Amino acid sequence: MQIGIVGLGLIGGSLGFDLIQSGHHIYGLSRRQKTCNHAIRRGAVSQASTDPKILNRAELVFLCTPIGSLAQSLALIIPHLMTHTVVTDVGSVKAPVVETLQSLWPNFVGGHPMAGTAETGILAAQNTLFKDRPYVLTPNAATNLRAIELVKDVVIQLKAQLYFASPSDHDRAVAWISHLPILVSAGLMSSCIQESDQAVLSLAKSLASTGFRDTSRVGSGNPELGRMVAEHNQVALLKTLDQFETSLKHIRALIEHHEWNALEKLLQENQTARPMFVD
Ligand code: NAP
């Protein structure tokens, strides 16, 4: 198939690697010529350009630019698409994105691969990033059925685990397991660096090991992505933050009032619950 990828960064470049591997011809469109050159040299695309005309033969297009630029990216390419071209996106928030992009292009299906790294850009793109990872499609009642089938077939070729959800259910679920963890982890790092005793701060930096590496990682990654998910998934994220504040206050009260058995019980419940979310 002739497939276009707009935004040759971590996600766009990684999609390119796997789709070329599956035998597709990949047309890359990116903002900077340097990114196009890297993508061609690394083998993430068959050809690439900064000119949207490159997409005029694409049957399917993946929009892989930042959430706040997706509508602008689609508007830029629309004059160059065939009327039957199917467009999908990879944005980490779905309800506002689907509403806007679907109004611009009827053959649109929202999507979100649940895969990534702390790095950004074409040089961070990698093979098999999506293998065995969830990939959510978020069609609604107005979504064209042929478009859903086409995107579904390509997601299966990525060897990803395919899920379907409404855009708003997607946003509420990822607020819990992706967006809240980013903000909680960011709060952890912001708190640590407030330690006013320089000797203690310096010692803490030297002693930080795997526990701190795990808990600080997601809040110290791509700042633009963190800002975008907070901005575009604000309502769902605030609800999860409210619940988190309540839970944290409860834990604090247990500690303050020496309720060690209750604290241990809560931690035991968490130990039982975690495998239901991750292995
Ligand atoms: P990235 O590595 O920074 O890549 C973004 C690409 O978009 C770059 O190649 C850049 O092209 C282009 N770009 C940046 N700003 C732009 C703008 N204002 N207008 C047009 N093009 C622009 O980002 P990413 O991590 O791949 O994220 C891309 C999308 O994937 C986002 O919508 C994000 O929500 C979604 N996503 C990310 C992750 C993750 O963990 N990173 C996971 C799932 C989904 P040039 O280099 O040519 O400037």
Side-chain angles (χ1 to χ4, degrees), residues 100-167:
T100 307
L101 300 199
Q102 195 168 43
S103 71
L104 293 173
W105 192 254
N107 287 330
F108 173 79
V109 189
H112 180 201
M114 304 292 303
T117 70
E119 314 290 317
T120 58
I122 184 63
L123 297 179
Q126 53 183 259
N127 289 306
T128 63
L129 183 67
F130 312 101
K131 187 169 182 276
D132 300 327
R133 304 302 304 276
Y135 196 124
V136 196
L137 295 184
T138 60
N140 57 23
T143 309
N144 178 300
L145 293 181
R146 184 188 71 87
I148 300 172
E149 284 304 309
L150 190 74
V151 179
K152 190 181 101 179
D153 288 349
V154 173
V155 168
I156 289 168
Q157 290 170 23
L158 296 170
K159 300 190 172 58
Q161 300 166 354
L162 180 68
Y163 289 89
F164 287 95
S166 71

Side-chain angles (χ1 to χ4, degrees), residues 64 151 248:
C64 304
V151 179
L248 200 57

Side-chain angles (χ1 to χ4, degrees), residues 192-193 198-209 212:
C192 281
I193 58 179
Q198 289 307 309
V200 171
L201 185 60
S202 172
L203 183 61
K205 286 177 185 168
S206 305
L207 300 183
S209 187
F212 192 76

